[in-house]
Amino acid sequence: MPAKPSTPSATARLGKAALLVACAAAAAAPVLTAGTASAASVTTWDRVAMCESTGNWSIVSANGLYYGGLQFSSSTWKAYGGTDYAPQANLATKYQQIAIAEKVLADQGPGAWPVCSVKAGLTKDGPAPAFPTATKPLTYSGDLPVSGRWSNGSATTVGVFRDGTWALRDTNGNTTPVGFGQAGDLPMTGDFDGVGHDQLGIFRPSTNTFTVRHDDASATSLAFGQNGDIPVPGMWDHNGHAQMAVYRPGTGTFIVRHDDGSVSTAALGQAGDTPIVGDWDGVGHTQMGVFRPGTNTGDQNVIALRHDDGSVTTAAYGVKGDLPVTGDWANKGRTTYGVYRPGNATFALSTAYAGTADSVFTYGNGGTWS
């Protein structure tokens, strides 16, 4: 596992993120290009990772000190420019981790991985890694998953949205249909009225407009955000009702509009991530997170949750092609996560941050990636 260099390099900055519907299944190619003077092939790095982390590129060591497939320390990851991609190595893609490893190899030599370099045959004079070419992001078409508390005091349940038609599932499995919105809108939910349950809303990308449907079926609208933003409303002001917010993929930035009209921002994520929000810690207000799709078919997704102190915890959940959902499924006062699998219209919800599903059921008509 790489040691911290004696002279740290560039200042850290967070990477970018991308839109759910357009980019959730995009192949992740690195920004950096490895040189040839001191290099190793991807196959060699795979062998190092198998020794260091059993080949798990999203892992965190049991003692919490080393991250990713090549087990970078936080200081090494930052010093060699890794935070251009993600706050920690386990949140970066395999090829981004290899790109940083190439820098470490050139500077420190294979001894940065003293045991595993020998086992894997890692040397400084190998062939440069052949990184994959970026591919066109896939486009999703079909039901979009939603979640919310549809009645006071209830646990969060799920629903689906397609082209302005909502189907809301209650805790008994019954469905309530609602017409609100149109094709091209992005669904959102939140307790905008502060009444103890969620209302439906849509974000219209063509006009960057939020529209909320109140309990009496009236609607109010607010223009906020810009082209390409993703809606992420939540209890950002800690005052009992939801405020509007967006996630800007171009900068990996959450932008929150407060009740007094002021705006605050926070950066989290990288290219290909989807924003998720919820009260992860049960503190009575919304916190930020991102959902990182698996790179290859069958690969697990990574969920990264940001806490109030700025720390980030991660979990592997679901597989590439899934869409994220969040909610307080067990009505315990804190938000957990789940996924919607479009191919078979299946929700898999976790109540304990355990990486396994506690509730699995089919609902909606699913969708396809193309």
Side-chain angles (χ1 to χ4, degrees):
M1 47 191 75
K4 181 180 179 181
S6 57
T7 305
S9 60
T11 302
R13 59 184 174 84
L14 289 173
K16 298 179 179 179
L19 176 64
L20 161 68
V21 178
C23 299
V31 176
L32 298 180
T33 302
T36 57
S38 300
S41 67
V42 171
T43 300
T44 301
W45 286 119
D46 278 334
R47 291 197 296 266
V48 176
M50 186 58 65
C51 174
E52 290 281 353
S53 64
T54 66
N56 185 344
W57 295 88
S58 301
I59 201 171
V60 178
S61 65
N63 62 9
L65 298 178
Y66 300 98
Y67 301 84
L70 301 172
Q71 292 290 273
F72 290 96
S73 66
S74 295
S75 58
T76 299
W77 182 249
K78 178 179 179 180
Y80 286 96
T83 49
D84 283 353
Y85 299 129
Q88 297 287 2
N90 63 303
L91 299 177
T93 68
K94 166 183 172 178
Y95 295 104
Q96 290 167 346
Q97 293 178 48
I98 290 175
I100 298 303
E102 286 284 311
K103 289 186 170 186
V104 177
L105 179 64
D107 188 30
Q108 300 187 35
W113 298 267
V115 174
C116 291
S117 63
V118 176
K119 292 183 178 181
L122 176 67
T123 65
K124 292 183 69 171
D125 55 358
F131 292 142
T133 302
T135 59
K136 180 182 179 182
L138 297 180
T139 299
Y140 178 74
S141 176
D143 284 1
L144 289 172
V146 298
S147 60
R149 296 182 187 272
W150 311 133
S151 60
N152 288 31
S154 71
T156 306
T157 54
V158 301
V160 292
F161 172 89
R162 185 191 293 238
D163 297 342
T165 299
W166 302 68
L168 307 180
R169 184 182 190 269
D170 67 19
T171 53
N172 296 316
N174 302 313
T175 296
T176 299
V178 180
F180 184 63
Q182 65 185 36
D185 290 344
L186 298 178
M188 62 177 190
T189 62
D191 186 1
F192 304 106
D193 294 339
V195 292
H197 59 263
D198 290 339
Q199 291 80 45
L200 308 183
I202 56 96
F203 178 73
R204 186 156 296 165
S206 60
T207 59
N208 305 312
T209 301
F210 287 85
T211 303
V212 173
R213 181 184 186 273
H214 303 286
D215 288 351
D216 62 3
S218 65
T220 55
S221 297
L222 172 71
F224 182 64
Q226 66 183 37
N227 186 41
D229 287 349
I230 305 168
V232 284
M235 298 282 193
W236 302 113
D237 284 351
H238 316 180
N239 61 359
H241 67 266
Q243 289 77 41
M244 303 303 180
V246 295
Y247 184 70
R248 188 154 296 162
T251 58
T253 304
F254 285 84
I255 305 171
V256 177
R257 183 188 186 278
H258 302 285
D259 285 349
D260 62 4
S262 65
V263 172
S264 60
T265 65
L268 181 68
Q270 66 173 44
D273 290 351
T274 297
I276 54 175
V277 296
D279 184 0
W280 320 127
D281 297 334
V283 290
H285 59 261
T286 302
Q287 299 160 307
M288 302 170 185
V290 293
F291 173 90
R292 181 160 301 163
T295 303
N296 303 303
T297 301
D299 284 355
Q300 284 193 296
N301 311 305
V302 175
I303 293 172
L305 308 179
R306 182 183 186 273
H307 307 283
D308 285 354
D309 62 2
S311 65
V312 176
T313 57
T314 64
Y317 194 76
V319 296
K320 178 181 177 180
D322 292 344
L323 302 177
V325 289
T326 62
D328 183 3
W329 316 121
N331 207 18
K332 293 182 177 180
R334 65 170 189 162
T335 307
T336 55
Y337 45 72
V339 294
Y340 182 63
R341 190 153 295 162
N344 56 13
T346 298
F347 282 90
L349 310 179
S350 175
T351 63
Y353 296 139
T356 57
D358 301 289
S359 177
V360 179
F361 53 89
T362 59
Y363 192 71
N365 296 315
T368 58
W369 293 99
S370 61

mmCIF file with all atom_site columns, all heavy atoms in Angstrom, residues 37-61:
data_model
loop_
_atom_site.group_PDB
_atom_site.id
_atom_site.type_symbol
_atom_site.label_atom_id
_atom_site.label_alt_id
_atom_site.label_comp_id
_atom_site.label_asym_id
_atom_site.label_entity_id
_atom_site.label_seq_id
_atom_site.pdbx_PDB_ins_code
_atom_site.Cartn_x
_atom_site.Cartn_y
_atom_site.Cartn_z
_atom_site.occupancy
_atom_site.B_iso_or_equiv
_atom_site.pdbx_formal_charge
_atom_site.auth_seq_id
_atom_site.auth_comp_id
_atom_site.auth_asym_id
_atom_site.auth_atom_id
_atom_site.pdbx_PDB_model_num
ATOM 1   N N   . ALA A 1 37 ? 7.510   5.855   -19.241 1.00 0.00 ? 37 ALA A N   1
ATOM 2   C CA  . ALA A 1 37 ? 8.825   5.683   -18.636 1.00 0.00 ? 37 ALA A CA  1
ATOM 3   C C   . ALA A 1 37 ? 8.761   4.722   -17.455 1.00 0.00 ? 37 ALA A C   1
ATOM 4   O O   . ALA A 1 37 ? 9.631   3.879   -17.284 1.00 0.00 ? 37 ALA A O   1
ATOM 5   C CB  . ALA A 1 37 ? 9.367   7.033   -18.199 1.00 0.00 ? 37 ALA A CB  1
ATOM 6   N N   . SER A 1 38 ? 7.767   4.846   -16.615 1.00 0.00 ? 38 SER A N   1
ATOM 7   C CA  . SER A 1 38 ? 7.565   3.955   -15.479 1.00 0.00 ? 38 SER A CA  1
ATOM 8   C C   . SER A 1 38 ? 6.113   3.549   -15.493 1.00 0.00 ? 38 SER A C   1
ATOM 9   O O   . SER A 1 38 ? 5.242   4.339   -15.152 1.00 0.00 ? 38 SER A O   1
ATOM 10  C CB  . SER A 1 38 ? 7.915   4.659   -14.167 1.00 0.00 ? 38 SER A CB  1
ATOM 11  O OG  . SER A 1 38 ? 9.268   5.070   -14.151 1.00 0.00 ? 38 SER A OG  1
ATOM 12  N N   . ALA A 1 39 ? 5.850   2.322   -15.916 1.00 0.00 ? 39 ALA A N   1
ATOM 13  C CA  . ALA A 1 39 ? 4.469   1.943   -16.169 1.00 0.00 ? 39 ALA A CA  1
ATOM 14  C C   . ALA A 1 39 ? 4.259   0.462   -15.918 1.00 0.00 ? 39 ALA A C   1
ATOM 15  O O   . ALA A 1 39 ? 5.205   -0.322  -15.815 1.00 0.00 ? 39 ALA A O   1
ATOM 16  C CB  . ALA A 1 39 ? 4.072   2.300   -17.602 1.00 0.00 ? 39 ALA A CB  1
ATOM 17  N N   . ALA A 1 40 ? 2.985   0.094   -15.828 1.00 0.00 ? 40 ALA A N   1
ATOM 18  C CA  . ALA A 1 40 ? 2.583   -1.303  -15.699 1.00 0.00 ? 40 ALA A CA  1
ATOM 19  C C   . ALA A 1 40 ? 1.265   -1.486  -16.419 1.00 0.00 ? 40 ALA A C   1
ATOM 20  O O   . ALA A 1 40 ? 0.460   -0.556  -16.506 1.00 0.00 ? 40 ALA A O   1
ATOM 21  C CB  . ALA A 1 40 ? 2.462   -1.699  -14.233 1.00 0.00 ? 40 ALA A CB  1
ATOM 22  N N   . SER A 1 41 ? 1.023   -2.663  -16.928 1.00 0.00 ? 41 SER A N   1
ATOM 23  C CA  . SER A 1 41 ? -0.206  -2.929  -17.669 1.00 0.00 ? 41 SER A CA  1
ATOM 24  C C   . SER A 1 41 ? -1.396  -3.007  -16.722 1.00 0.00 ? 41 SER A C   1
ATOM 25  O O   . SER A 1 41 ? -1.241  -3.198  -15.506 1.00 0.00 ? 41 SER A O   1
ATOM 26  C CB  . SER A 1 41 ? -0.081  -4.248  -18.428 1.00 0.00 ? 41 SER A CB  1
ATOM 27  O OG  . SER A 1 41 ? -0.013  -5.339  -17.520 1.00 0.00 ? 41 SER A OG  1
ATOM 28  N N   . VAL A 1 42 ? -2.587  -2.880  -17.290 1.00 0.00 ? 42 VAL A N   1
ATOM 29  C CA  . VAL A 1 42 ? -3.805  -3.030  -16.489 1.00 0.00 ? 42 VAL A CA  1
ATOM 30  C C   . VAL A 1 42 ? -3.850  -4.414  -15.866 1.00 0.00 ? 42 VAL A C   1
ATOM 31  O O   . VAL A 1 42 ? -4.250  -4.589  -14.711 1.00 0.00 ? 42 VAL A O   1
ATOM 32  C CB  . VAL A 1 42 ? -5.058  -2.758  -17.355 1.00 0.00 ? 42 VAL A CB  1
ATOM 33  C CG1 . VAL A 1 42 ? -6.328  -3.130  -16.586 1.00 0.00 ? 42 VAL A CG1 1
ATOM 34  C CG2 . VAL A 1 42 ? -5.120  -1.303  -17.784 1.00 0.00 ? 42 VAL A CG2 1
ATOM 35  N N   . THR A 1 43 ? -3.416  -5.421  -16.612 1.00 0.00 ? 43 THR A N   1
ATOM 36  C CA  . THR A 1 43 ? -3.404  -6.789  -16.085 1.00 0.00 ? 43 THR A CA  1
ATOM 37  C C   . THR A 1 43 ? -2.528  -6.885  -14.844 1.00 0.00 ? 43 THR A C   1
ATOM 38  O O   . THR A 1 43 ? -2.884  -7.544  -13.854 1.00 0.00 ? 43 THR A O   1
ATOM 39  C CB  . THR A 1 43 ? -2.904  -7.763  -17.163 1.00 0.00 ? 43 THR A CB  1
ATOM 40  O OG1 . THR A 1 43 ? -3.771  -7.710  -18.286 1.00 0.00 ? 43 THR A OG1 1
ATOM 41  C CG2 . THR A 1 43 ? -2.867  -9.184  -16.626 1.00 0.00 ? 43 THR A CG2 1
ATOM 42  N N   . THR A 1 44 ? -1.368  -6.224  -14.877 1.00 0.00 ? 44 THR A N   1
ATOM 43  C CA  . THR A 1 44 ? -0.487  -6.234  -13.704 1.00 0.00 ? 44 THR A CA  1
ATOM 44  C C   . THR A 1 44 ? -1.143  -5.539  -12.526 1.00 0.00 ? 44 THR A C   1
ATOM 45  O O   . THR A 1 44 ? -1.107  -6.027  -11.387 1.00 0.00 ? 44 THR A O   1
ATOM 46  C CB  . THR A 1 44 ? 0.848   -5.561  -14.031 1.00 0.00 ? 44 THR A CB  1
ATOM 47  O OG1 . THR A 1 44 ? 1.472   -6.255  -15.113 1.00 0.00 ? 44 THR A OG1 1
ATOM 48  C CG2 . THR A 1 44 ? 1.781   -5.575  -12.819 1.00 0.00 ? 44 THR A CG2 1
ATOM 49  N N   . TRP A 1 45 ? -1.769  -4.386  -12.783 1.00 0.00 ? 45 TRP A N   1
ATOM 50  C CA  . TRP A 1 45 ? -2.459  -3.678  -11.699 1.00 0.00 ? 45 TRP A CA  1
ATOM 51  C C   . TRP A 1 45 ? -3.606  -4.520  -11.155 1.00 0.00 ? 45 TRP A C   1
ATOM 52  O O   . TRP A 1 45 ? -3.901  -4.477  -9.948  1.00 0.00 ? 45 TRP A O   1
ATOM 53  C CB  . TRP A 1 45 ? -2.949  -2.319  -12.173 1.00 0.00 ? 45 TRP A CB  1
ATOM 54  C CG  . TRP A 1 45 ? -1.855  -1.299  -12.333 1.00 0.00 ? 45 TRP A CG  1
ATOM 55  C CD1 . TRP A 1 45 ? -1.494  -0.649  -13.475 1.00 0.00 ? 45 TRP A CD1 1
ATOM 56  C CD2 . TRP A 1 45 ? -0.977  -0.817  -11.319 1.00 0.00 ? 45 TRP A CD2 1
ATOM 57  N NE1 . TRP A 1 45 ? -0.451  0.203   -13.255 1.00 0.00 ? 45 TRP A NE1 1
ATOM 58  C CE2 . TRP A 1 45 ? -0.104  0.133   -11.928 1.00 0.00 ? 45 TRP A CE2 1
ATOM 59  C CE3 . TRP A 1 45 ? -0.833  -1.076  -9.958  1.00 0.00 ? 45 TRP A CE3 1
ATOM 60  C CZ2 . TRP A 1 45 ? 0.883   0.796   -11.206 1.00 0.00 ? 45 TRP A CZ2 1
ATOM 61  C CZ3 . TRP A 1 45 ? 0.158   -0.416  -9.240  1.00 0.00 ? 45 TRP A CZ3 1
ATOM 62  C CH2 . TRP A 1 45 ? 1.004   0.510   -9.860  1.00 0.00 ? 45 TRP A CH2 1
ATOM 63  N N   . ASP A 1 46 ? -4.280  -5.273  -12.013 1.00 0.00 ? 46 ASP A N   1
ATOM 64  C CA  . ASP A 1 46 ? -5.324  -6.175  -11.533 1.00 0.00 ? 46 ASP A CA  1
ATOM 65  C C   . ASP A 1 46 ? -4.751  -7.201  -10.558 1.00 0.00 ? 46 ASP A C   1
ATOM 66  O O   . ASP A 1 46 ? -5.380  -7.544  -9.552  1.00 0.00 ? 46 ASP A O   1
ATOM 67  C CB  . ASP A 1 46 ? -5.990  -6.897  -12.709 1.00 0.00 ? 46 ASP A CB  1
ATOM 68  C CG  . ASP A 1 46 ? -7.064  -6.067  -13.397 1.00 0.00 ? 46 ASP A CG  1
ATOM 69  O OD1 . ASP A 1 46 ? -7.646  -5.193  -12.741 1.00 0.00 ? 46 ASP A OD1 1
ATOM 70  O OD2 . ASP A 1 46 ? -7.309  -6.299  -14.592 1.00 0.00 ? 46 ASP A OD2 1
ATOM 71  N N   . ARG A 1 47 ? -3.537  -7.692  -10.853 1.00 0.00 ? 47 ARG A N   1
ATOM 72  C CA  . ARG A 1 47 ? -2.904  -8.666  -9.955  1.00 0.00 ? 47 ARG A CA  1
ATOM 73  C C   . ARG A 1 47 ? -2.525  -8.016  -8.630  1.00 0.00 ? 47 ARG A C   1
ATOM 74  O O   . ARG A 1 47 ? -2.682  -8.622  -7.559  1.00 0.00 ? 47 ARG A O   1
ATOM 75  C CB  . ARG A 1 47 ? -1.678  -9.291  -10.622 1.00 0.00 ? 47 ARG A CB  1
ATOM 76  C CG  . ARG A 1 47 ? -1.995  -10.216 -11.790 1.00 0.00 ? 47 ARG A CG  1
ATOM 77  C CD  . ARG A 1 47 ? -0.807  -11.107 -12.123 1.00 0.00 ? 47 ARG A CD  1
ATOM 78  N NE  . ARG A 1 47 ? 0.354   -10.351 -12.577 1.00 0.00 ? 47 ARG A NE  1
ATOM 79  C CZ  . ARG A 1 47 ? 0.645   -10.113 -13.851 1.00 0.00 ? 47 ARG A CZ  1
ATOM 80  N NH1 . ARG A 1 47 ? -0.154  -10.597 -14.811 1.00 0.00 ? 47 ARG A NH1 1
ATOM 81  N NH2 . ARG A 1 47 ? 1.717   -9.431  -14.186 1.00 0.00 ? 47 ARG A NH2 1
ATOM 82  N N   . VAL A 1 48 ? -2.039  -6.772  -8.694  1.00 0.00 ? 48 VAL A N   1
ATOM 83  C CA  . VAL A 1 48 ? -1.731  -6.055  -7.450  1.00 0.00 ? 48 VAL A CA  1
ATOM 84  C C   . VAL A 1 48 ? -3.006  -5.875  -6.620  1.00 0.00 ? 48 VAL A C   1
ATOM 85  O O   . VAL A 1 48 ? -3.011  -6.102  -5.405  1.00 0.00 ? 48 VAL A O   1
ATOM 86  C CB  . VAL A 1 48 ? -1.082  -4.685  -7.750  1.00 0.00 ? 48 VAL A CB  1
ATOM 87  C CG1 . VAL A 1 48 ? -0.868  -3.912  -6.450  1.00 0.00 ? 48 VAL A CG1 1
ATOM 88  C CG2 . VAL A 1 48 ? 0.233   -4.849  -8.496  1.00 0.00 ? 48 VAL A CG2 1
ATOM 89  N N   . ALA A 1 49 ? -4.081  -5.474  -7.284  1.00 0.00 ? 49 ALA A N   1
ATOM 90  C CA  . ALA A 1 49 ? -5.346  -5.262  -6.582  1.00 0.00 ? 49 ALA A CA  1
ATOM 91  C C   . ALA A 1 49 ? -5.881  -6.562  -5.994  1.00 0.00 ? 49 ALA A C   1
ATOM 92  O O   . ALA A 1 49 ? -6.449  -6.570  -4.890  1.00 0.00 ? 49 ALA A O   1
ATOM 93  C CB  . ALA A 1 49 ? -6.370  -4.636  -7.521  1.00 0.00 ? 49 ALA A CB  1
ATOM 94  N N   . MET A 1 50 ? -5.710  -7.667  -6.711  1.00 0.00 ? 50 MET A N   1
ATOM 95  C CA  . MET A 1 50 ? -6.183  -8.951  -6.181  1.00 0.00 ? 50 MET A CA  1
ATOM 96  C C   . MET A 1 50 ? -5.444  -9.293  -4.888  1.00 0.00 ? 50 MET A C   1
ATOM 97  O O   . MET A 1 50 ? -6.027  -9.820  -3.931  1.00 0.00 ? 50 MET A O   1
ATOM 98  C CB  . MET A 1 50 ? -5.969  -10.048 -7.215  1.00 0.00 ? 50 MET A CB  1
ATOM 99  C CG  . MET A 1 50 ? -6.553  -11.400 -6.817  1.00 0.00 ? 50 MET A CG  1
ATOM 100 S SD  . MET A 1 50 ? -8.339  -11.347 -6.474  1.00 0.00 ? 50 MET A SD  1
ATOM 101 C CE  . MET A 1 50 ? -8.955  -10.922 -8.115  1.00 0.00 ? 50 MET A CE  1
ATOM 102 N N   . CYS A 1 51 ? -4.147  -8.947  -4.841  1.00 0.00 ? 51 CYS A N   1
ATOM 103 C CA  . CYS A 1 51 ? -3.362  -9.184  -3.630  1.00 0.00 ? 51 CYS A CA  1
ATOM 104 C C   . CYS A 1 51 ? -3.725  -8.206  -2.520  1.00 0.00 ? 51 CYS A C   1
ATOM 105 O O   . CYS A 1 51 ? -3.877  -8.596  -1.357  1.00 0.00 ? 51 CYS A O   1
ATOM 106 C CB  . CYS A 1 51 ? -1.878  -9.067  -3.985  1.00 0.00 ? 51 CYS A CB  1
ATOM 107 S SG  . CYS A 1 51 ? -0.752  -9.150  -2.573  1.00 0.00 ? 51 CYS A SG  1
ATOM 108 N N   . GLU A 1 52 ? -3.879  -6.942  -2.861  1.00 0.00 ? 52 GLU A N   1
ATOM 109 C CA  . GLU A 1 52 ? -4.133  -5.907  -1.858  1.00 0.00 ? 52 GLU A CA  1
ATOM 110 C C   . GLU A 1 52 ? -5.555  -5.950  -1.308  1.00 0.00 ? 52 GLU A C   1
ATOM 111 O O   . GLU A 1 52 ? -5.776  -5.696  -0.115  1.00 0.00 ? 52 GLU A O   1
ATOM 112 C CB  . GLU A 1 52 ? -3.883  -4.514  -2.455  1.00 0.00 ? 52 GLU A CB  1
ATOM 113 C CG  . GLU A 1 52 ? -2.425  -4.187  -2.729  1.00 0.00 ? 52 GLU A CG  1
ATOM 114 C CD  . GLU A 1 52 ? -1.681  -3.768  -1.462  1.00 0.00 ? 52 GLU A CD  1
ATOM 115 O OE1 . GLU A 1 52 ? -2.327  -3.610  -0.408  1.00 0.00 ? 52 GLU A OE1 1
ATOM 116 O OE2 . GLU A 1 52 ? -0.447  -3.609  -1.544  1.00 0.00 ? 52 GLU A OE2 1
ATOM 117 N N   . SER A 1 53 ? -6.532  -6.214  -2.180  1.00 0.00 ? 53 SER A N   1
ATOM 118 C CA  . SER A 1 53 ? -7.938  -6.003  -1.788  1.00 0.00 ? 53 SER A CA  1
ATOM 119 C C   . SER A 1 53 ? -8.884  -7.056  -2.337  1.00 0.00 ? 53 SER A C   1
ATOM 120 O O   . SER A 1 53 ? -10.091 -6.817  -2.403  1.00 0.00 ? 53 SER A O   1
ATOM 121 C CB  . SER A 1 53 ? -8.396  -4.631  -2.293  1.00 0.00 ? 53 SER A CB  1
ATOM 122 O OG  . SER A 1 53 ? -8.363  -4.607  -3.713  1.00 0.00 ? 53 SER A OG  1
ATOM 123 N N   . THR A 1 54 ? -8.368  -8.205  -2.726  1.00 0.00 ? 54 THR A N   1
ATOM 124 C CA  . THR A 1 54 ? -9.140  -9.254  -3.420  1.00 0.00 ? 54 THR A CA  1
ATOM 125 C C   . THR A 1 54 ? -9.820  -8.720  -4.672  1.00 0.00 ? 54 THR A C   1
ATOM 126 O O   . THR A 1 54 ? -10.874 -9.218  -5.079  1.00 0.00 ? 54 THR A O   1
ATOM 127 C CB  . THR A 1 54 ? -10.179 -9.928  -2.493  1.00 0.00 ? 54 THR A CB  1
ATOM 128 O OG1 . THR A 1 54 ? -11.188 -8.971  -2.125  1.00 0.00 ? 54 THR A OG1 1
ATOM 129 C CG2 . THR A 1 54 ? -9.525  -10.489 -1.247  1.00 0.00 ? 54 THR A CG2 1
ATOM 130 N N   . GLY A 1 55 ? -9.224  -7.677  -5.269  1.00 0.00 ? 55 GLY A N   1
ATOM 131 C CA  . GLY A 1 55 ? -9.757  -7.137  -6.520  1.00 0.00 ? 55 GLY A CA  1
ATOM 132 C C   . GLY A 1 55 ? -10.981 -6.265  -6.371  1.00 0.00 ? 55 GLY A C   1
ATOM 133 O O   . GLY A 1 55 ? -11.656 -5.970  -7.350  1.00 0.00 ? 55 GLY A O   1
ATOM 134 N N   . ASN A 1 56 ? -11.255 -5.819  -5.157  1.00 0.00 ? 56 ASN A N   1
ATOM 135 C CA  . ASN A 1 56 ? -12.432 -4.974  -4.904  1.00 0.00 ? 56 ASN A CA  1
ATOM 136 C C   . ASN A 1 56 ? -12.003 -3.511  -4.985  1.00 0.00 ? 56 ASN A C   1
ATOM 137 O O   . ASN A 1 56 ? -11.373 -2.986  -4.055  1.00 0.00 ? 56 ASN A O   1
ATOM 138 C CB  . ASN A 1 56 ? -13.030 -5.291  -3.541  1.00 0.00 ? 56 ASN A CB  1
ATOM 139 C CG  . ASN A 1 56 ? -14.312 -4.534  -3.269  1.00 0.00 ? 56 ASN A CG  1
ATOM 140 O OD1 . ASN A 1 56 ? -14.633 -3.555  -3.945  1.00 0.00 ? 56 ASN A OD1 1
ATOM 141 N ND2 . ASN A 1 56 ? -15.069 -4.993  -2.292  1.00 0.00 ? 56 ASN A ND2 1
ATOM 142 N N   . TRP A 1 57 ? -12.349 -2.830  -6.072  1.00 0.00 ? 57 TRP A N   1
ATOM 143 C CA  . TRP A 1 57 ? -11.904 -1.455  -6.297  1.00 0.00 ? 57 TRP A CA  1
ATOM 144 C C   . TRP A 1 57 ? -12.687 -0.442  -5.477  1.00 0.00 ? 57 TRP A C   1
ATOM 145 O O   . TRP A 1 57 ? -12.349 0.741   -5.463  1.00 0.00 ? 57 TRP A O   1
ATOM 146 C CB  . TRP A 1 57 ? -11.982 -1.118  -7.788  1.00 0.00 ? 57 TRP A CB  1
ATOM 147 C CG  . TRP A 1 57 ? -11.032 -1.955  -8.594  1.00 0.00 ? 57 TRP A CG  1
ATOM 148 C CD1 . TRP A 1 57 ? -11.279 -3.174  -9.137  1.00 0.00 ? 57 TRP A CD1 1
ATOM 149 C CD2 . TRP A 1 57 ? -9.661  -1.655  -8.892  1.00 0.00 ? 57 TRP A CD2 1
ATOM 150 N NE1 . TRP A 1 57 ? -10.158 -3.662  -9.766  1.00 0.00 ? 57 TRP A NE1 1
ATOM 151 C CE2 . TRP A 1 57 ? -9.146  -2.754  -9.650  1.00 0.00 ? 57 TRP A CE2 1
ATOM 152 C CE3 . TRP A 1 57 ? -8.819  -0.576  -8.619  1.00 0.00 ? 57 TRP A CE3 1
ATOM 153 C CZ2 . TRP A 1 57 ? -7.835  -2.783  -10.110 1.00 0.00 ? 57 TRP A CZ2 1
ATOM 154 C CZ3 . TRP A 1 57 ? -7.517  -0.608  -9.081  1.00 0.00 ? 57 TRP A CZ3 1
ATOM 155 C CH2 . TRP A 1 57 ? -7.025  -1.699  -9.810  1.00 0.00 ? 57 TRP A CH2 1
ATOM 156 N N   . SER A 1 58 ? -13.715 -0.865  -4.768  1.00 0.00 ? 58 SER A N   1
ATOM 157 C CA  . SER A 1 58 ? -14.536 0.036   -3.948  1.00 0.00 ? 58 SER A CA  1
ATOM 158 C C   . SER A 1 58 ? -14.375 -0.218  -2.450  1.00 0.00 ? 58 SER A C   1
ATOM 159 O O   . SER A 1 58 ? -15.123 0.317   -1.644  1.00 0.00 ? 58 SER A O   1
ATOM 160 C CB  . SER A 1 58 ? -16.019 -0.110  -4.326  1.00 0.00 ? 58 SER A CB  1
ATOM 161 O OG  . SER A 1 58 ? -16.233 0.194   -5.675  1.00 0.00 ? 58 SER A OG  1
ATOM 162 N N   . ILE A 1 59 ? -13.386 -0.996  -2.071  1.00 0.00 ? 59 ILE A N   1
ATOM 163 C CA  . ILE A 1 59 ? -13.262 -1.423  -0.677  1.00 0.00 ? 59 ILE A CA  1
ATOM 164 C C   . ILE A 1 59 ? -12.591 -0.353  0.188   1.00 0.00 ? 59 ILE A C   1
ATOM 165 O O   . ILE A 1 59 ? -11.837 0.490   -0.294  1.00 0.00 ? 59 ILE A O   1
ATOM 166 C CB  . ILE A 1 59 ? -12.447 -2.746  -0.610  1.00 0.00 ? 59 ILE A CB  1
ATOM 167 C CG1 . ILE A 1 59 ? -12.714 -3.497  0.685   1.00 0.00 ? 59 ILE A CG1 1
ATOM 168 C CG2 . ILE A 1 59 ? -10.956 -2.468  -0.808  1.00 0.00 ? 59 ILE A CG2 1
ATOM 169 C CD1 . ILE A 1 59 ? -12.128 -4.896  0.717   1.00 0.00 ? 59 ILE A CD1 1
ATOM 170 N N   . VAL A 1 60 ? -12.881 -0.400  1.476   1.00 0.00 ? 60 VAL A N   1
ATOM 171 C CA  . VAL A 1 60 ? -12.161 0.348   2.503   1.00 0.00 ? 60 VAL A CA  1
ATOM 172 C C   . VAL A 1 60 ? -11.607 -0.679  3.478   1.00 0.00 ? 60 VAL A C   1
ATOM 173 O O   . VAL A 1 60 ? -12.303 -1.618  3.876   1.00 0.00 ? 60 VAL A O   1
ATOM 174 C CB  . VAL A 1 60 ? -13.075 1.342   3.241   1.00 0.00 ? 60 VAL A CB  1
ATOM 175 C CG1 . VAL A 1 60 ? -12.305 2.073   4.333   1.00 0.00 ? 60 VAL A CG1 1
ATOM 176 C CG2 . VAL A 1 60 ? -13.693 2.330   2.277   1.00 0.00 ? 60 VAL A CG2 1
ATOM 177 N N   . SER A 1 61 ? -10.325 -0.544  3.867   1.00 0.00 ? 61 SER A N   1
ATOM 178 C CA  . SER A 1 61 ? -9.713  -1.522  4.753   1.00 0.00 ? 61 SER A CA  1
ATOM 179 C C   . SER A 1 61 ? -10.449 -1.574  6.092   1.00 0.00 ? 61 SER A C   1
ATOM 180 O O   . SER A 1 61 ? -11.116 -0.609  6.495   1.00 0.00 ? 61 SER A O   1
ATOM 181 C CB  . SER A 1 61 ? -8.238  -1.196  4.987   1.00 0.00 ? 61 SER A CB  1
ATOM 182 O OG  . SER A 1 61 ? -8.092  0.023   5.690   1.00 0.00 ? 61 SER A OG  1
#
